[in-house]
Amino acid sequence: MGFRKVAIVGAGITKFVRRAQETGPEMSYLASKTALDQAGLKLKDVEMITLGSAPDAFDGVHMKGEYLLSGAGGNNKPYIRNFVGGGTGVFAPIHGWMHVASGACDVCLVVCSEKMSSCHPHPQGAFLTIFDHTTEQPLKPTLIWIFALEMRRYMETYGLSKADIARVAVKNKNNALDHPSAQVAEAVTLDDVLNSEVLAEPVHRLDISPASDGAAAVVLASEEVAKRLTDKPVWIDGVGWNLDTAYWATKDLYYPRYVEKAARMAYEMAGITEPHKEIQVAEPYDPFDYKELHHMEGLLLCERGEAARLTAEGFTARTGNLPTCPSGGALGVGNPIAATGLMKVIEIFLQLREEAGKRQIPGKPRVGVAQAWGDLMQVGTVIVLRR
Amino acid sequence: MKIENVPMKGLSSEEYEKTLKIPWNPNLQYAWDNGIGIGKYLHALKEGKILASYCEKCNRIILPARAFCEMCWRPTDAYLPVQDTGIVNTFAICHVNWDASRLKPNEPRHIPAVIEIDGASPGQGILHLLGNVEPSKVKIGMKVKAVWKPAEERTGSITDILFFEPY
Ligand SMILES: [Zn+2]
């Protein structure tokens, strides 16, 4: 299609924590330095930088990209921030891919950083302004409402129980026990999730990922540079992104059409015609447990309404046919919004290199997909990686 | 540095309380223009009506009223009132306020719902609240009707509808 090949050659993540002592620029530095160290590069080798971060309202810092620039290594370099809400963490490497695939540069550093804890008592309050200021904000909505509304619609459409959904939280939080960056790895049981505090029925506290602080970074390189740097490049084989209307109450809440469209775009680029057979490991975005199921279906990894059954049967466990969120996902590792999506891309990168340590899935996977979602249930971002 | 040993510290609640923090309470005030389509929508609410737009090209009656159809990307052809009744597409029983603070046990739960309004095209819902109903009695598919503020108290706001109740 006229694009240059682009590889991921290095990755870094900070720990995901509650109330980090470090500032946003400090976290960005830690993730970026780790990624460059792993790639065997110095900052002077980086030609362009792209940064992802979610709303300015979390930090109370307007023009957050400019604020984070120093830690992300952006002084005096072509630097730009991108932002598509929760979809940012997978869009940032897509954005970096554009820089390298187009030939604009050979080495691009992609940094995602989020510090949610500056907004207190709870960053949830900052989400009020995501809703339409005239027709919705006067009703005092919280973001949890729309997730509860969507989750109930999904359960109703396919006849699913709370337990069918909660199994995702159990799987992911337990997977996170093996992730060195995890914030909330917990050996939780199904009963723990079902009996946790009710926030907005059907959503309970353990159905939700925590607010987090953290950063992640990857180094992208052109084919020639990648082959010089490593004998284990992981190729970005396909990218896709799609946005649906902000009139969210007029959409089919049980199915993320925009995720499917983004996935089809990425699969076509990657030459994937049967995703449920060809994809060997997946990191669907799971800020809520039902979202992993929603997104497995949107990613065409299974039939609509089938994801819960596959989860119950162990199909998506690390040892199953299609492991999903072997990292522990947003539910387990934590959810510093933009950094979470990039953490997922990094997990696929590590799995395909067989460097995921205790989290490594069996069978020498060759192809994986990572996905993120965000805004007013609007955006899907998808990336396909191949070893 | 390796991923396994990146130094990073999350503060405990006690440590967090002791840190020097600079609180900032922004006093930003916004005055939003209502625009053409939503302006008409709000004006209709003041008159006790729910206003939709009609797009001739996709033959949809869409909510809320808007000046253009985002599917066909062309101006809508007409504004027309729809019913103030509808069916519950989905709902939640919420124990949390917008700022994540918890409701007290004796406070009534918020019951937000997506309500598909009668007279609009299938699937055309709006966000609103349900009231005058036991949370345990709410069902998807339930028929509900708007409960309006008295005419003299309406201001041309979505809150001119107090809530929707079963009928
Ligand atoms: Zn139209």
Side-chain angles (χ1 to χ4, degrees):
Chain A
M1 243 192 277
F3 301 126
R4 300 203 305 167
K5 283 183 80 172
V6 182
I8 303 180
V9 295
I13 322 176
T14 69
K15 295 198 172 32
F16 288 0
V17 300
R18 182 165 181 255
R19 294 171 175 165
Q21 188 170 38
E22 289 78 4
T23 63
E26 286 170 347
M27 298 191 308
S28 302
Y29 169 75
L30 292 172
S32 303
K33 181 71 169 73
T34 308
L36 286 172
D37 282 356
Q38 200 199 4
L41 292 174
K42 304 277 187 226
L43 185 57
K44 68 174 171 53
D45 303 315
V46 174
E47 295 162 90
M48 290 189 177
I49 290 161
T50 182
L51 175 126
S53 196
D56 295 347
F58 284 152
D59 309 62
V61 176
H62 186 52
M63 313 231 303
K64 194 156 58 163
E66 287 74 352
Y67 163 67
L68 295 170
L69 173 146
S70 56
N75 289 332
N76 244 329
K77 289 185 190 276
Y79 174 96
I80 193 166
R81 171 192 177 189
N82 64 80
F83 171 43
V84 282
T88 302
V90 171
F91 191 71
I94 293 175
H95 193 206
W97 170 87
M98 292 175 192
H99 292 347
V100 181
S102 66
C105 70
D106 284 318
V107 178
C108 177
L109 175 64
V110 179
V111 187
C112 282
S113 179
E114 211 74 73
K115 184 159 189 181
M116 302 176 72
S117 65
S118 301
C119 184
H120 63 148
H122 199 285
Q124 190 62 242
F127 279 119
L128 182 64
T129 56
I130 197 173
F131 292 91
D132 184 278
H133 54 65
T134 311
T135 59
E136 293 178 342
Q137 274 185 43
L139 301 169
K140 300 275 176 63
T142 146
L143 215 54
I144 300 175
W145 282 12
I146 54 175
F147 301 139
L149 295 167
E150 199 179 62
M151 177 165 159
R152 189 183 298 275
R153 187 72 200 167
Y154 179 67
M155 288 166 63
E156 174 88 4
T157 301
Y158 299 114
L160 302 174
S161 69
K162 271 283 304 168
D164 290 331
I165 306 279
R167 282 189 198 98
V168 174
V170 175
K171 169 177 70 73
N172 292 4
K173 284 175 194 287
N174 282 281
N175 279 353
L177 290 166
D178 297 326
H179 200 301
S181 307
Q183 173 180 357
V184 282
E186 285 177 282
V188 299
T189 65
L190 194 55
D191 281 343
D192 291 336
V193 182
L194 295 175
N195 296 327
S196 61
E197 182 191 3
V198 181
L199 297 178
E201 192 61 41
V203 172
H204 294 221
R205 192 176 62 78
L206 290 183
D207 291 315
I208 307 188
S209 57
S212 310
D213 300 342
V218 293
V219 183
L220 305 187
S222 62
E223 183 171 13
E224 191 195 322
V225 172
K227 285 186 171 159
R228 204 162 66 221
L229 287 172
T230 175
D231 53 7
K232 291 203 283 184
V234 170
W235 304 102
I236 297 179
D237 234 25
V239 297
W241 64 99
N242 196 279
L243 266 82
D244 203 347
T245 169
Y247 294 108
W248 64 272
T250 69
K251 292 193 289 211
D252 290 337
L253 296 176
Y254 54 84
Y255 187 71
R257 172 174 70 172
Y258 42 94
V259 171
E260 179 185 326
K261 291 200 166 183
R264 286 191 186 280
M265 178 176 165
Y267 293 152
E268 188 181 342
M269 200 182 290
I272 288 175
T273 53
E274 295 186 291
H276 62 290
K277 289 188 191 157
E278 295 173 58
I279 303 282
Q280 290 151 324
V281 55
E283 282 276 342
Y285 196 48
D286 63 325
F288 288 72
D289 41 16
Y290 78 94
K291 288 307 290 191
E292 172 165 317
L293 305 173
H294 229 226
H295 292 152
M296 280 170 65
E297 294 168 18
L299 287 167
L300 309 173
L301 298 176
C302 63
E303 296 292 323
R304 292 190 192 191
E306 218 187 34
R309 181 178 62 76
L310 293 173
T311 303
E313 289 172 359
F315 194 81
T316 59
R318 280 203 197 117
T319 50
N321 273 356
L322 178 62
T324 56
C325 292
S327 65
L331 286 161
V333 187
N335 192 11
I337 315 273
T340 312
L342 195 53
M343 176 276 284
K344 288 176 167 290
V345 175
I346 291 170
E347 181 69 9
I348 300 295
F349 166 74
L350 295 173
Q351 291 286 352
L352 299 186
R353 280 168 64 124
E354 296 181 81
E355 290 176 358
K358 284 196 216 160
R359 307 189 307 285
Q360 184 63 47
I361 63 164
K364 301 186 189 305
R366 299 190 65 84
V367 185
V369 65
Q371 172 255 333
W373 151 91
D375 283 351
L376 209 46
M377 327 223 269
Q378 267 180 290
V379 56
T381 50
V382 176
I383 196 163
V384 176
L385 301 182
R386 195 185 298 265
R387 155 159 81 98
Chain B
M1 252 184 304
K2 295 190 157 163
I3 287 172
E4 288 72 27
N5 53 24
V6 175
M8 203 37 199
K9 183 169 161 57
L11 300 178
S12 68
S13 297
E14 283 151 15
E15 288 170 321
Y16 182 71
E17 290 312 319
K18 281 189 216 148
T19 54
L20 172 65
K21 295 188 279 290
I22 304 167
W24 176 56
N25 296 306
N27 182 20
L28 306 172
Q29 307 212 5
Y30 295 89
W32 287 301
D33 293 315
N34 294 327
I36 312 301
I38 294 293
K40 288 183 193 291
Y41 182 69
L42 297 175
H43 185 73
L45 289 170
K46 198 169 177 181
E47 295 183 335
K49 292 185 192 127
I50 298 175
L51 194 71
S53 290
Y54 176 61
C55 172
E56 206 167 80
K57 181 141 185 253
C58 61
N59 195 26
R60 289 192 313 153
I61 298 169
I62 48 184
L63 277 170
R66 43 200 182 252
F68 58 91
C69 172
E70 78 278 13
M71 300 291 211
C72 308
W73 215 56
R74 60 186 287 283
T76 46
D77 300 285
Y79 293 95
L80 69 167
V82 287
Q83 268 59 263
D84 70 347
T85 56
I87 61 160
V88 173
N89 172 290
T90 183
F91 66 97
I93 313 291
C94 193
H95 302 239
V96 178
N97 293 309
W98 69 273
D99 59 356
S101 61
R102 306 301 199 251
L103 287 168
K104 297 188 180 65
N106 56 349
E107 283 182 277
R109 310 292 96 169
H110 305 301
I111 315 180
V114 172
I115 298 155
E116 291 186 37
I117 300 294
D118 294 333
S121 291
Q124 291 296 309
I126 62 167
L127 173 69
H128 218 295
L129 298 158
L130 302 182
N132 274 343
V133 60
E134 271 298 309
S136 62
K137 297 271 163 49
V138 183
K139 295 268 180 305
I140 287 179
M142 193 170 79
K143 293 168 78 165
V144 292
K145 183 173 180 28
V147 176
W148 296 86
K149 274 186 186 164
E152 61 278 10
E153 288 174 26
R154 290 183 212 139
T155 59
S157 162
I158 190 67
T159 54
D160 288 348
I161 297 174
L162 291 166
F163 49 80
F164 284 76
E165 65 178 8
Y167 73 99

